[in-house]
Amino acid sequence: MAEYHAQNKAKLISETRRRFEAEYVTDKPDKYDPRDVERLQQDDNWVESYLLWRHSIVDETLKMLDESFQWRKEMSVNDLTESSIPRWLLEIGGIYLHGYDKEGNKLFWIRVKYHVKDHKTMLDKKKLIAFWLERYAKRENGKPVTVMFDLSETGINSIDMDFVRFIINCFKVYYPKYLSKMVIFDMPWIMNAAFKIVKSWLGPEAVSLLKFTSKNEVQDYVSVEYLPPHMGGTDPFKYSYPPLVDDDFQTPLCENGPIASEDEASSKEDLESDGKETLETVSNEEQTALLKKINLTEHTSKAEENEKADSKMKAFKKPLSVFKGPLLHISPAEELYFGSTESGEKKTLIVLTNVTKNIVAFKVRTTAPEKYRVKPSNSSCDPGASVDIVVSPHGGLTVSAQDRFLIMAAEMEQSSGTGPAELTQFWKEVPRNKVMEHRLRCHIVESCKPTTLTLKDNAFNMSDKTSEDLYLQLASSRRESDFSTP
C-alpha cells in the first residue's frame, strides 16, 4: 500500500511539472520568476504541497500554481530582504515570528492594534507578511505555522478586511500546507460580522482551523511560557528591532564546552553515580558479586576490551535517519529522542560528519538555553571526520516538544586556526550565505529510539553490564561514522 502511494505521488508530481511547463510556461516564459519555475522542477515537497491543497487534482493544482507564481513575481518574493521593508514597520512589532504552540508549530504573531488602515502603506505591509512567510518557508520547508491573530486593544481604525483577506490568501494560495491553525484572540463584538466573511474566504474545509479564544481558551493551544502576560502567560519576551527575532536560538550552557575527553569523563561519572543509587537497593551479597565483576573487568586484556566494545556496538543500531547537507551529514535528521523521567534516559547524541575537503566550524543553538547542556557547542570538525555532540537536560529540567536546536556550520580556510579566539573571529566575519543551517526538534519517548543514541541504557539493572561496559559502549559509539539512510 505504501509503495503504491509513493508511486502515485511521484506520478502526480511528474504530471504536474510536465503540464505546467507545456501549458503555462512555454507560451509566456516572462510570466513567472524563472527561479520559481526551476524550483518547481527540483523540489518535490513544493509540488506536493500544492497538490495536497487541491486534493491531488492536477487541473486545479495548475491553476493554483499559475496564480501563486504570478503573485510571487509581482511581489518580487525571491528578492525580499529586510531592506525591502520600511524600517518603521519592522520596529513597530506588529508582525513577527516567536515561540511555539503545544504541537511544536512556530507562532506567527499579528498584533492587529498596531495596524492602521491606510492604502498608502498597504503594499509595504503585504511585503512584510510575504517577507516573513518566505523567510520561514525557506528555512523550515513545509513545517506549518500557527497564526496568532491578537485583537486585544483593537479599535475600529484597525479593522482592514482587505489586509485580512490578503493574509488568508497567503495560506490558501501562496503558501499551501503552511497553516496549522489561526488562533483569534479577544475578538471585539463589533468584528463578529466581519469574521463571518473571513470564514467564507477560507472555505468549509479550512474553517475548522479558526480557533476563537479568550484568555481562558488560548492556553488550550499555546502553553503559558510562550504567551505574553496580557494573554495570561509568563513569556518575558519584548519585541525589539534590530535584529530580527524569528529564530529565538541562543547559546546553550557550556558554550565552547569541554573537549571530547572531558565529555567522556562526565558521562562515566554520571553512569557511576547512577550505579551507586542502584547498589543501595540490592543485598550485600549482590553488591559483593557486582564489585568482583567490575574488578575482574578492570584486569581484562586490551584485546578483550576491544572485542567487548565491538560486541556492544553490534547491539546498537545505526541511526536510521541522516540529514545530508552540503557541509555536514547530521544524525538524527529531524528529531532528538529523549527518554521520559521514568525511563531515566538523560542524554542523547547529535552526530556530525564533515563531507567536505576543508575544516568545518559548527555551533549549536537552542530555544531553551537555560535547560540544556551541550558539549561541545562551538567547535570544528576535520575533513572526513565525525564529532559527537552530547545533549543533556540541566538540573532536572524537563524536555519539551516545543524545544528546538539549530546546527550552524561553515567551511574554514585551511590556514585558519580552530582555537576559541579564532572560532569567535571566524563567526563574526563569515558571510550569512556561506552558513549551512539545520534544525532539530525534541521528542520524548518511554524507551530509547533507534534514530539516536542515548547514553544511559538501564546501566545497573543487575545484568552483565558493569560501569566499564557502559563506558566502553559510549566510547565505541564514537567510532560509528559510516551512516547511511534506510
Side-chain angles (χ1 to χ4, degrees):
M1 187 66 182
E3 184 178 353
Y4 170 79
H5 178 74
Q7 291 176 349
N8 188 55
K9 181 176 74 172
K11 181 180 178 181
L12 288 170
I13 290 174
S14 178
E15 181 183 353
T16 300
R17 285 172 170 158
R18 177 182 57 78
R19 288 186 56 186
F20 188 75
E21 183 74 28
E23 299 174 24
Y24 289 85
V25 178
T26 303
D27 293 338
K28 298 179 180 179
D30 297 331
K31 192 177 182 180
Y32 315 114
D33 187 323
R35 288 169 291 185
D36 291 332
V37 176
E38 181 180 0
R39 181 184 169 192
L40 189 73
Q41 297 297 328
Q42 298 176 351
D43 190 340
D44 288 355
N45 289 330
W46 206 28
V47 183
E48 186 182 4
S49 68
Y50 285 95
L51 279 165
L52 288 174
W53 200 251
R54 286 295 179 259
H55 306 288
S56 297
I57 301 173
V58 175
D59 286 340
E60 295 299 318
T61 302
L62 294 174
K63 293 176 183 177
M64 187 179 182
L65 283 166
D66 176 52
E67 182 179 352
S68 177
F69 279 24
Q70 287 189 67
W71 170 81
R72 290 178 64 84
K73 183 174 183 179
E74 290 168 4
M75 292 287 288
S76 301
V77 171
N78 287 311
D79 297 312
L80 287 177
T81 63
E82 286 180 64
S83 61
S84 307
I85 313 298
R87 186 180 176 92
W88 69 269
L89 263 181
L90 292 168
E91 290 176 342
I92 200 172
I95 300 167
Y96 56 89
L97 289 160
H98 170 71
Y100 300 88
D101 69 9
K102 287 188 173 182
E103 296 175 337
N105 300 310
K106 192 76 173 180
L107 299 180
F108 186 35
W109 292 87
I110 299 177
R111 305 290 304 279
V112 181
K113 73 175 184 178
Y114 294 118
H115 175 80
V116 177
K117 188 174 182 178
D118 183 357
H119 292 296
K120 294 179 181 178
T121 60
M122 179 59 72
L123 180 59
D124 287 330
K125 291 173 182 176
K126 288 181 177 180
K127 284 185 176 181
L128 180 57
I129 293 284
F131 165 75
W132 279 119
L133 290 178
E134 185 68 11
R135 180 182 175 88
Y136 177 82
K138 285 181 177 178
R139 293 186 174 194
E140 298 296 344
N141 193 21
K143 297 177 185 175
V145 298
T146 289
V147 177
M148 298 296 291
F149 223 95
D150 184 3
L151 292 163
S152 57
E153 303 177 50
T154 299
I156 191 70
N157 290 333
S158 298
I159 301 174
D160 188 342
M161 296 309 292
D162 288 339
F163 190 52
V164 173
R165 184 164 193 169
F166 171 77
I167 295 171
I168 296 296
N169 274 344
C170 280
F171 292 102
K172 190 176 179 180
V173 180
Y174 311 141
Y175 294 90
K177 210 178 73 169
Y178 274 93
L179 181 62
S180 167
K181 54 188 163 291
M182 185 177 289
V183 178
I184 315 296
F185 178 77
D186 203 14
M187 186 178 73
W189 66 268
I190 196 172
M191 294 190 70
N192 284 338
F195 268 84
K196 288 182 180 178
I197 299 174
V198 170
K199 288 181 179 180
S200 68
W201 291 339
L202 278 170
E205 295 177 350
V207 165
S208 63
L209 302 180
L210 285 179
K211 311 295 181 183
F212 294 90
T213 66
S214 63
K215 188 181 291 187
N216 292 329
E217 295 91 13
V218 71
Q219 293 178 26
D220 292 340
Y221 306 104
V222 183
S223 61
V224 292
E225 65 181 304
Y226 286 123
L227 287 175
H230 75 274
M231 290 184 175
T234 59
D235 188 359
F237 170 78
K238 299 291 184 183
Y239 180 90
S240 64
Y241 176 85
L244 294 173
V245 298
D246 62 315
D247 274 335
D248 304 319
F249 287 102
Q250 302 173 46
T251 302
L253 296 174
C254 300
E255 170 70 7
N256 294 323
I259 58 175
S261 60
E262 292 176 319
D263 289 345
E264 292 173 2
S266 173
S267 300
K268 189 173 183 181
E269 288 172 5
D270 288 344
L271 292 171
E272 289 173 346
S273 65
D274 292 334
K276 290 176 182 178
E277 295 175 4
T278 307
L279 283 171
E280 291 173 1
T281 66
V282 299
S283 67
N284 290 334
E285 291 180 3
E286 290 171 316
Q287 289 185 36
T288 303
L290 180 59
L291 290 171
K292 285 181 178 179
K293 179 177 278 190
I294 293 174
N295 188 53
L296 287 172
T297 305
E298 289 174 350
H299 292 86
T300 57
S301 66
K302 194 70 177 178
E304 289 173 333
E305 289 179 357
N306 290 336
E307 183 178 349
K308 183 180 295 184
D310 291 338
S311 66
K312 295 294 180 186
M313 279 311 303
K314 291 177 181 177
F316 265 108
K317 295 182 179 180
K318 292 181 181 180
L320 296 180
S321 60
V322 180
F323 169 77
K324 295 187 176 182
L327 306 181
L328 296 174
H329 286 184
I330 301 173
S331 183
E334 296 184 353
E335 292 187 326
L336 288 176
Y337 285 91
F338 291 87
S340 64
T341 303
E342 291 76 14
S343 69
E345 294 160 351
K346 298 187 298 184
K347 302 183 181 182
T348 190
L349 289 179
I350 304 172
V351 184
L352 309 181
T353 302
N354 184 350
V355 294
T356 74
K357 296 180 180 180
N358 298 313
I359 295 173
V360 171
F362 66 85
K363 293 196 295 186
V364 183
R365 297 290 181 264
T366 177
T367 56
E370 75 290 342
K371 189 182 293 187
Y372 296 97
R373 297 177 66 184
V374 179
K375 307 179 187 179
S377 64
N378 185 0
S379 189
S380 62
C381 185
D382 291 333
S386 293
V387 173
D388 290 357
I389 299 172
V390 183
V391 182
S392 57
H394 174 66
L397 295 173
T398 304
V399 175
S400 170
Q402 298 167 351
D403 299 340
R404 296 288 189 275
F405 283 84
L406 172 70
I407 311 295
M408 303 174 65
E411 280 189 278
M412 304 182 73
E413 295 181 0
Q414 293 186 352
S415 59
S416 302
T418 56
E422 290 87 352
L423 286 172
T424 299
Q425 189 62 31
F426 171 77
W427 284 111
K428 287 180 180 179
E429 298 174 351
V430 64
R432 179 74 186 221
N433 62 359
K434 300 293 185 182
V435 178
M436 171 191 137
E437 294 185 352
H438 185 66
R439 289 157 171 74
L440 295 169
R441 303 186 297 272
C442 292
H443 192 83
I444 306 166
V445 290
E446 295 301 322
S447 59
C448 183
K449 289 273 187 176
T451 48
T452 186
L453 299 177
T454 53
L455 303 185
K456 183 180 177 185
D457 186 22
N458 300 322
F460 287 85
N461 60 355
M462 296 303 102
S463 70
D464 61 348
K465 292 183 179 180
T466 67
S467 61
E468 188 171 354
D469 288 336
L470 269 295
Y471 179 60
L472 284 171
Q473 188 178 62
L474 169 63
S476 300
S477 69
R478 291 182 168 274
R479 303 178 189 174
E480 195 100 12
S481 60
D482 57 334
F483 302 114
S484 58
T485 53

